[in-house]
Amino acid sequence: MEKFRYIILIAVLISFHSWSAVPQSERDALVALYNSTDGDNWTDNTNWLVGDPCDNAWYGVTCNTGVVIELDLGRNNLVGVIPSEIGDLVNLLWLELDSNELSGNIPKEIGGLANLTELNLRFNKLTGEIPSSIGNLLNLTGMKLIRNQLTGSIPVQIANLNNLYYLELAVNELEGNIPIEITTMANLSSVSIGGNNFSGSIPPELGNMPNLEFLHVAGNSFDGEIPTELCNISTLEVLDLGENLLTGGVPACLGQLTSLTRLELNDNFLTGELPIELTQLVNLTRLSVWNNQLTGPVHPGFGNLSSLEWFHLNSNMFSGTIPPELGNISTLEELLLDNNQLEGSIPAELGNITGLRILRLQNNQLTGIIPSSLTNLINLRIPQPGFWFEYDKSSVQYNSLTTDDQALNDFLDTHCVCDWSKTQTIIPQNLSVVSVSDESISLSWDVIEYLNDQGGYNINYATNAAGPYTLAKSVSSKALNHTLIDGLSPNTEYHFKIDSFTNSHENNQNLLVSEQSSEVSQFTDTSPGQEINLNVEMSFATDLLPGGQVTQYTLSAENIGPGDAMSSTLFHVIPHELSDVTWSCEAFSGASCPINNKGVSNGDMVESIDLPSGSYVVFTVNGTVSETESLSPLAASIAIPNSTNDQDFSNNLTVNDRQIGIFGNSFEN
């Protein structure tokens, strides 16, 4: 009897074990995966290779009724290839091998996993083509192959997967066109194929997909226009067509897609105006159209987008003024309007967006006084060294803006990590008359701080204070602070105004012209003055100034004659890169230096000298050069005395650009 009981017990145990044990083929498939992906060095390989995968709870393996239904080994340091035996896990519902170091091809045997609903192989180094057998996975709802190195085209067999919701193939090396067959997959809610090498046009048939919510095709080479058929996808929440070769305008009908939360069209060749209809997209959190060729105004209606967080319009050709209504968007975190042709003043209302983290207004044509309300933007990022350093800068550089508010000035410097005021093309101050003759008037002014990048000053004149003013002369260096306006009529009152200008350059593609100064008036003499011919030159001991060392250069001024030039005025702007500047003067052939023939000048030299016919003076200038990579232009000019006429004003000025050595106490070769 006792023996019979043992026989029954053994039979039951054998029966139980045979019901619960994983099929040998499935265990072998798991072992093959372990061996081919360096299982001994997985992050977690608990219980692997010990007995039955289900009974012993191998890490990442889920079973049901004695078969493996889920394999989740994501982020587990699998290094190697996916073995062909993976196709023997025929009961598998979920396969998660993401975020590892898997390489090689996706085995075609994966198409034998007929019950699979989720395939996640993203964030690996898989190569080769997507096997066409993947079209056999008729129960699949999610295919995630993002961030591998897959090549070839999208197999048309994918269109067989009528239950698929997510098709994620972004950031691979896939190419070709989007297969039209995909547009028949009625259940697809997400298509992510950005960051590949796809080309051709975007299929209009995508507009027939009734459940599409997410369409990401950015970072490819799609060309042609944005198909208006996309406006039919009323379910669309994210539309990202950025970083392609798209042309034409932004379809106004996109304003019908009121479910949109993200509209990203950046980095294309789109033209025309931004449609006013986009102001109807009240659920938008991101609107990015940067780096296109869009023109026209920024519509005030965008200020009604109360959910907007990113408003990126930078690097286009938008014109007009910045709408004050943008200050109503309390949710805004990034306002990027830089590198456009915007003009007018900065609206004080922008200071209401206290959650703003980045404000970029640089490289436009903005003018006037910066509103102090910008100091309310206490959440602006302070850029830190690293990858995001440039992106995180908030800047108003390269405009025509000013402020007398020191707290605001410091605030702006901190958030752009720059000296913003030295990049502004602003009104020159202290325009004044230096000397007068019967046919000329000599003028001087204070140079603006922004001496780098080519530009200068426009002197405008009128014979009536009310105008109209016309251009009398352009001075082609911002380092010059003096010029002669000749060709005038005797005994006539002239009125002058001055503005500064900066030509287009690497940091701003616009020609910037400041507002005009207040006017200065002067009568010309009634009688002709004596003829003189002044000349000024500058010379250096070397073409390369040593950074961090004392350098020396000379300024020479002479009068060729025939008349005397007594009480001439030498002008020389000392660039801010030179410090501890001293000078001395030596006179020759009857000339006279300034009363004190030496001086200290960390500002401008404005020195009176006597130059009889045939005489000259030499100024020797010494200064310490800052250890930077560039030096503002060095310029000097000489103003003729009253009641004289210069035969050749072209040699009355000199401009030299000198590069600073960046190796401290040695010269560059």
Side-chain angles (χ1 to χ4, degrees):
M1 185 67 179
E2 190 69 16
K3 183 177 180 181
F4 180 76
R5 286 180 180 175
Y6 280 118
I7 293 172
I8 295 296
L9 178 59
I10 292 170
V12 169
L13 290 174
I14 292 172
S15 174
F16 178 81
H17 186 269
S18 60
W19 173 81
S20 62
V22 167
Q24 189 63 40
S25 60
E26 294 190 9
R27 188 184 190 282
D28 290 345
L30 294 174
V31 172
L33 177 66
Y34 185 92
N35 291 331
S36 67
T37 59
D38 194 18
D40 289 344
N41 291 304
W42 288 357
T43 303
D44 191 338
N45 59 8
T46 302
N47 293 335
W48 272 74
L49 306 186
V50 178
D52 184 81
C54 298
D55 290 348
N56 292 283
W58 291 11
Y59 173 79
V61 176
T62 301
C63 300
N64 186 28
T65 63
V67 295
V68 178
I69 62 169
E70 181 176 338
L71 181 59
D72 186 355
L73 295 174
R75 296 177 175 83
N76 202 42
N77 195 39
L78 275 67
V79 180
V81 300
I82 302 173
S84 59
E85 290 87 345
I86 198 76
D88 293 332
L89 297 172
V90 292
N91 296 293
L92 209 58
L93 302 178
W94 286 68
L95 178 58
E96 303 268 356
L97 302 179
D98 61 293
S99 307
N100 285 295
E101 295 288 324
L102 296 174
S103 56
N105 295 345
I106 300 173
K108 65 180 185 300
E109 288 79 5
I110 212 163
L113 305 179
N115 295 303
L116 202 64
T117 60
E118 180 78 11
L119 174 62
N120 186 356
L121 305 178
R122 61 186 176 181
F123 301 109
N124 280 289
K125 297 178 180 179
L126 298 169
T127 57
E129 298 187 358
I130 300 172
S132 59
S133 62
I134 215 163
N136 298 330
L137 306 179
L138 301 182
N139 290 302
L140 204 63
T141 59
M143 183 190 301
K144 300 175 181 178
L145 306 180
I146 290 175
R147 286 192 181 274
N148 281 284
Q149 299 167 17
L150 300 171
T151 56
S153 58
I154 299 176
V156 295
Q157 289 83 356
I158 283 181
N160 298 335
L161 308 180
N162 290 324
N163 292 305
L164 202 65
Y165 288 97
Y166 306 103
L167 177 60
E168 299 181 0
L169 308 177
V171 196
N172 279 285
E173 299 172 18
L174 300 169
E175 58 188 9
N177 299 328
I178 298 177
I180 299 299
E181 291 82 358
I182 285 180
T183 65
T184 65
M185 302 171 69
N187 288 313
L188 265 184
S189 65
S190 176
V191 174
S192 177
I193 60 171
N196 281 287
N197 300 314
F198 293 116
S199 57
S201 59
I202 296 175
E205 291 82 359
L206 289 172
N208 300 327
M209 304 181 74
N211 294 300
L212 198 60
E213 297 176 359
F214 185 97
L215 179 58
H216 173 252
V217 302
N220 285 290
S221 297
F222 291 116
D223 55 20
E225 298 189 359
I226 299 172
T228 56
E229 288 79 0
L230 298 183
C231 303
N232 299 330
I233 314 174
S234 60
T235 54
L236 207 57
E237 297 178 6
V238 174
L239 177 59
D240 189 349
L241 310 180
E243 299 177 64
N244 279 290
L245 305 173
L246 300 173
T247 55
V250 177
C253 63
L254 293 178
Q256 302 170 12
L257 302 178
T258 54
S259 294
L260 271 184
T261 61
R262 286 171 50 188
L263 177 58
E264 305 195 31
L265 307 176
N266 52 281
D267 255 331
N268 281 289
F269 297 92
L270 301 174
T271 56
E273 297 189 6
L274 205 56
I276 187 175
E277 288 81 1
L278 298 188
T279 64
Q280 302 168 12
L281 300 176
V282 294
N283 291 306
L284 269 189
T285 61
R286 294 186 186 182
L287 176 56
S288 295
V289 297
W290 54 274
N291 201 23
N292 280 287
Q293 299 169 10
L294 298 170
T295 56
V298 179
H299 197 276
F302 286 110
N304 298 324
L305 301 183
S306 58
S307 298
L308 201 60
E309 297 173 0
W310 290 12
F311 195 31
H312 294 180
L313 306 188
N314 47 308
S315 301
N316 280 284
M317 294 182 284
F318 289 114
S319 56
T321 59
I322 299 174
E325 291 82 359
L326 296 184
N328 298 332
I329 313 175
S330 61
T331 55
L332 206 56
E333 296 179 0
E334 298 185 8
L335 178 57
L336 278 51
L337 302 177
D338 52 292
N339 292 286
N340 280 292
Q341 299 172 10
L342 298 171
E343 56 190 18
S345 59
I346 297 175
E349 289 83 354
L350 296 188
N352 298 335
I353 317 173
T354 55
L356 207 59
R357 297 186 178 184
I358 302 176
L359 174 63
R360 297 200 334 216
L361 305 177
Q362 69 267 27
N363 309 341
N364 278 289
Q365 299 172 329
L366 301 172
T367 58
I369 298 173
I370 303 172
S372 296
S373 62
L374 293 191
T375 57
N376 296 334
L377 304 178
I378 58 175
N379 288 303
L380 287 183
R381 291 177 182 148
I382 297 177
Q384 302 297 324
F387 181 80
W388 295 105
F389 180 73
E390 291 296 328
Y391 184 84
D392 283 346
K393 288 182 179 181
S394 292
S395 177
V396 296
Q397 291 177 283
Y398 303 105
N399 282 289
S400 298
L401 299 165
T402 61
T403 183
D404 293 327
D405 185 335
Q406 188 60 46
L408 175 60
N409 182 81
D410 295 344
F411 179 85
L412 295 171
D413 279 354
T414 297
H415 289 89
C416 76
V417 194
C418 69
D419 193 342
W420 70 272
S421 64
K422 291 180 179 176
T423 64
Q424 302 299 310
T425 304
I426 59 175
I427 302 171
Q429 300 298 307
N430 297 321
L431 179 65
S432 59
V433 175
V434 178
S435 60
V436 184
S437 73
D438 63 313
E439 60 183 35
S440 66
I441 296 176
S442 184
L443 299 168
S444 70
W445 56 88
D446 293 343
V447 297
I448 64 175
E449 276 195 285
Y450 177 27
L451 298 182
N452 291 323
D453 300 315
Q454 291 186 351
Y457 304 94
N458 294 316
I459 292 84
N460 304 281
Y461 81 104
T463 53
N464 187 305
Y469 283 81
T470 56
L471 181 66
K473 178 178 283 188
S474 286
V475 177
S476 59
S477 173
K478 289 186 283 187
L480 285 168
N481 60 346
H482 155 257
T483 195
L484 181 76
I485 308 299
D486 54 5
L488 305 179
S489 300
N491 195 30
T492 303
E493 184 177 29
Y494 288 92
H495 305 268
F496 299 95
K497 293 184 177 183
I498 188 173
D499 60 62
S500 67
F501 67 89
T502 301
N503 298 327
S504 62
H505 55 91
E506 180 182 4
N507 292 310
N508 195 334
Q509 299 305 306
N510 300 309
L511 168 65
L512 280 181
V513 181
S514 76
E515 297 175 329
Q516 291 187 343
S517 69
S518 55
E519 61 97 17
V520 170
S521 59
Q522 177 67 51
F523 274 94
T524 51
D525 289 348
T526 56
S527 303
Q530 62 176 331
E531 296 293 323
I532 61 173
N533 189 352
L534 300 183
N535 179 54
V536 64
E537 294 181 355
M538 183 184 306
S539 62
F540 294 83
T542 176
D543 283 340
L544 182 65
L545 300 182
Q549 296 188 23
V550 174
T551 191
Q552 183 180 93
Y553 58 94
T554 60
L555 302 171
S556 61
E558 67 173 329
N559 177 19
I560 300 172
D564 295 334
M566 314 304 285
S567 298
S568 299
T569 304
L570 178 78
F571 293 90
H572 174 48
V573 176
I574 305 295
H576 63 82
E577 294 91 350
L578 291 180
S579 60
D580 303 323
V581 176
T582 61
W583 58 265
S584 60
C585 176
E586 189 174 2
F588 301 89
S589 303
S592 296
C593 286
I595 296 175
N596 296 316
N597 71 343
K598 61 182 179 179
V600 177
S601 179
N602 286 322
D604 299 342
M605 292 176 62
V606 182
E607 309 299 335
S608 178
I609 53 179
D610 293 336
L611 292 173
S613 179
S615 68
Y616 67 99
V617 299
V618 176
F619 288 85
T620 301
V621 183
N622 295 279
T624 301
V625 184
S626 65
E627 296 190 39
T628 62
E629 294 186 4
S630 62
L631 177 69
S632 301
L634 289 163
S637 63
I638 189 167
I640 65 175
N642 285 318
S643 302
T644 60
N645 289 317
D646 198 299
Q647 301 173 39
D648 181 11
F649 183 72
S650 65
N651 58 8
N652 287 33
L653 55 88
T654 180
V655 178
N656 281 286
D657 296 320
R658 285 296 182 268
Q659 188 179 23
I660 290 179
I662 61 175
F663 297 118
N665 56 12
S666 63
F667 289 100
E668 290 178 313
N669 293 321

